[in-house]
Amino acid sequence: MTDNAFSTLNLPAAQLDNLQQLGYQAMTSIQQQSLPLVLEGKDLIAKAKTGSGKTAAFAIGMLTNINPRDFGAQALVLCPTRELSTQVATEIRRLARYQQNIKVVVLCGGQSIGPQIGSLEHGAHIIVGTPGRIKDHLRKKTLSLARINTLVLDEADRMLDMGFYEDMEIIIGETPEQRQTLLFSATYPKKIKSLSAAFQREPVEVTVESIHSNAHIKQALYITSKDNKLYGLERILANYDVQSAVIFCNTIKVVKEVCEYLCQQGFSAKALHGDLEQRDRDQILVQFSHRSCSLLVATDVAARGLDIDDLEAVINFDLPRDPEIYIHRIGRTGRAGKEGLALAVFSDSEKYKVDAIAEYQAMPLDFEAIETLNSDKDAITEPPMVSLCIGGGRKEKVRPGDILGALTGDAGIQGKAVGKITVLDHVAYVAIERDVARQALKRLEQGKIKGRKFKVRRLR
């Protein structure tokens, strides 16, 4: 038995069996360091990024403290975004399968509050959600946190960046003082230290090395004047022939300016920021993951929950003040042993940020003048796919196989022309190769899915 086997932990046999069935082979570094402490009931500050296995690191321990016969809320997980809340709740439900009737309720904005109130009336063991909406439920007295024994602050740094400190303060004030508080954060700014000091008791600190190997990521930085940055970005895109990239900016204002400029130049670009309605945000993320949009211009906060396995490049249009955020950004490319590309354009006034990043990485960061790049290439190619939107989703019992069948059955389009299929609650999206998109749209408009007619439109 290895020392990173789950069987080394004091867990019920049914829980260990469930972990095995779910394919949890061995503990990740964050699980190995955190779980023994969580099971001992200690407060924890864990520095770990998305993808490190942190959900299981708090959920496995949290579930051992749940009494299934008590339908009051016993655990609360606060997350910065609806996407992360949904991901976390899905994973907790999987991990909770070894016990019967563990109810997990998601409370987030962007969705109507009525059905949430209905769910809470039937009782819930675990609440997962965003601070704003949980505060709404507390105000309406539709949620009680008086019996919470485990509180988890997931991606606490992002919640602070989004201005949730006061909401978190109000929410935590409604929980019992005798509780376990687990704080997870990808970065560790001063604000996290003060958050911990205010709400934790003698927390144990655990760190999982978040600096990824640079072996698979090529970093290239280009200096230019402040007024020339947009042209510099265009030149980078042309020179590197980037087909799919996330472009990071520090503010919503700059995101909008950059996206508008790229669209004017003929690029396929979408802006992702906190001012968007949830529906629009979902649609943009789908188009990017479907490869029917090439460039995603985003703030750090908006890019949370963005899970693209095969991201060709990350481009920093604005360098962040915190070097750790730069590392976090570029870590989205070059995953699973693939080659990644991290590019940046910066002005003289940002040179101090380059120096700080180089110091943090403990390796020099070379840069060149933007003029050294070849400006003759034509950068603009259309995205390879087109996304079609279907007016029916999970709640209408639509499954990916139904959509694929409707497109490819009896003299339909070839299966290889169909890309990713994403099914949400009341809507579904399918990626189609550009040259057969019109044919696919016509087929779905004229045909049926599961014997029913659904509205279909092409996303622009």
Side-chain angles (χ1 to χ4, degrees):
M1 189 195 299
T2 57
D3 60 357
N4 65 346
F6 284 99
S7 50
T8 59
L9 301 170
N10 186 20
L11 294 173
Q15 194 173 12
L16 290 170
D17 287 346
N18 184 50
L19 287 167
Q20 200 169 8
Q21 285 167 24
L22 293 174
Y24 277 82
Q25 302 294 339
M27 288 187 273
T28 64
S29 181
I30 188 66
Q31 290 160 6
Q32 202 172 352
Q33 292 184 59
S34 303
L35 271 167
L37 299 166
V38 174
L39 290 165
E40 280 177 38
K42 290 195 167 27
D43 281 11
L44 189 71
I45 300 178
K47 190 171 151 189
K49 59 180 180 174
T50 304
S52 57
K54 62 185 170 65
T55 303
F58 61 75
I60 289 170
M62 180 174 82
L63 286 163
T64 60
N65 290 327
I66 299 290
N67 174 2
R69 290 181 297 283
D70 173 4
F71 274 88
Q74 298 164 55
L76 171 65
V77 184
L78 287 180
C79 302
T81 64
R82 174 180 153 190
E83 286 80 12
L84 185 65
S85 302
T86 307
Q87 281 174 30
V88 166
T90 302
E91 196 52 26
I92 292 173
R93 286 186 188 111
R94 278 163 38 90
L95 292 164
R97 279 185 201 157
Y98 76 97
Q99 295 187 72
Q100 283 195 317
N101 304 322
I102 295 288
K103 191 171 172 195
V104 183
V105 170
V106 180
L107 303 178
C108 296
Q111 295 170 321
S112 103
I113 201 165
Q116 294 178 355
I117 293 171
S119 289
L120 290 170
E121 281 170 352
H122 291 105
H125 299 101
I126 299 167
I127 306 292
V128 183
T130 50
R133 180 51 61 93
I134 285 171
K135 196 180 80 168
D136 292 343
H137 281 285
L138 291 174
R139 196 175 58 241
K140 287 176 180 289
K141 303 213 176 321
T142 48
L143 172 66
S144 165
L145 302 179
R147 304 220 292 284
I148 294 293
N149 56 44
T150 311
L151 168 68
V152 180
L153 307 175
D154 195 7
E155 299 202 355
D157 49 346
R158 296 293 156 239
M159 288 195 279
L160 294 177
D161 287 346
M162 292 165 84
F164 280 140
Y165 186 89
E166 283 182 11
D167 288 356
M168 289 159 77
E169 210 171 20
I170 291 164
I171 292 163
I172 296 169
E174 296 284 322
T175 64
E177 275 190 34
Q178 295 301 312
R179 59 162 199 273
Q180 183 179 31
T181 307
L182 310 172
L183 187 155
F184 288 78
S185 182
T187 59
Y188 196 44
K190 287 194 181 102
K191 288 188 289 186
I192 288 290
K193 290 173 186 158
S194 15
L195 183 73
S196 171
F199 301 120
Q200 292 189 293
R201 289 172 306 168
E202 299 175 12
V204 182
E205 285 187 35
V206 163
T207 300
V208 172
E209 198 51 64
S210 64
I211 297 187
H212 43 71
S213 158
N214 287 329
H216 298 298
I217 301 175
K218 178 189 174 187
Q219 297 181 67
L221 291 83
Y222 296 92
I223 191 166
T224 186
S225 66
K226 195 173 180 182
D227 299 337
N228 206 33
K229 277 180 78 176
L230 284 167
Y231 172 66
L233 174 63
E234 193 181 350
R235 210 156 169 168
I236 283 173
L237 290 167
N239 184 80
Y240 284 93
D241 191 24
V242 172
Q243 302 299 311
S244 174
V246 176
I247 300 169
F248 280 104
C249 307
N250 291 346
T251 65
I252 292 174
K253 180 173 177 282
V254 177
V255 164
K256 290 176 179 175
E257 285 168 6
V258 169
C259 191
E260 193 178 332
Y261 176 83
L262 291 172
C263 291
Q264 283 167 357
Q265 305 311 308
F267 288 93
S268 162
K270 299 274 181 192
L272 189 70
H273 52 74
D275 286 355
L276 291 171
E277 292 287 327
Q278 189 63 47
R279 187 187 56 191
D280 297 329
R281 180 188 162 79
D282 288 344
Q283 194 166 290
I284 288 166
L285 287 170
V286 162
Q287 284 179 274
F288 187 66
S289 69
H290 279 193
R291 304 209 61 174
S292 59
C293 153
S294 303
L295 304 172
L296 195 62
V297 189
T299 55
D300 288 296
V301 167
R304 303 306 284 187
L306 173 67
D307 192 19
I308 308 295
D309 294 333
D310 199 9
L311 186 58
E312 181 189 342
V314 167
I315 303 173
N316 280 282
F317 182 79
D318 290 327
L319 287 170
R321 286 182 186 279
D322 184 344
E324 213 169 337
I325 290 173
Y326 171 84
I327 297 296
H328 201 60
R329 285 178 181 180
I330 72 170
R332 292 170 176 274
T333 184
R335 288 186 174 179
K338 293 197 172 97
E339 291 297 315
L341 195 53
L343 305 164
V345 57
F346 68 98
S347 60
D348 297 335
S349 62
E350 293 181 286
K351 173 70 172 63
Y352 74 97
K353 295 178 183 176
V354 176
D355 296 338
I357 292 163
E359 188 183 335
Y360 186 79
Q361 288 191 139
M363 59 177 275
L365 260 184
D366 298 327
F367 60 88
E368 295 181 77
I370 198 74
E371 290 73 23
T372 59
L373 289 180
N374 180 355
S375 60
D376 300 332
K377 291 184 187 174
D378 180 10
I380 299 161
T381 53
E382 282 191 306
M385 310 298 275
V386 166
S387 290
L388 304 180
C389 175
I390 299 157
R394 273 193 294 263
K395 301 285 187 187
E396 289 74 33
K397 305 283 191 282
V398 172
R399 295 171 311 187
D402 303 323
I403 297 167
L404 184 64
L407 285 163
T408 57
D410 299 339
I413 64 172
Q414 289 190 305
K416 65 179 184 185
V418 182
K420 200 168 176 184
I421 298 173
T422 306
V423 182
L424 305 179
D425 278 355
H426 294 291
V427 70
Y429 302 93
V430 56
I432 305 287
E433 285 182 1
R434 186 167 287 277
D435 56 352
V436 293
R438 189 173 291 166
Q439 184 191 339
L441 178 62
K442 197 171 171 185
R443 188 169 176 87
L444 288 178
E445 282 175 334
Q446 293 175 354
K448 291 182 177 180
I449 300 170
K450 291 199 98 163
R452 288 178 61 187
K453 282 260 185 204
F454 289 101
K455 281 187 179 171
V456 187
R457 63 190 172 91
R458 175 176 175 158
L459 298 183
R460 300 292 173 191

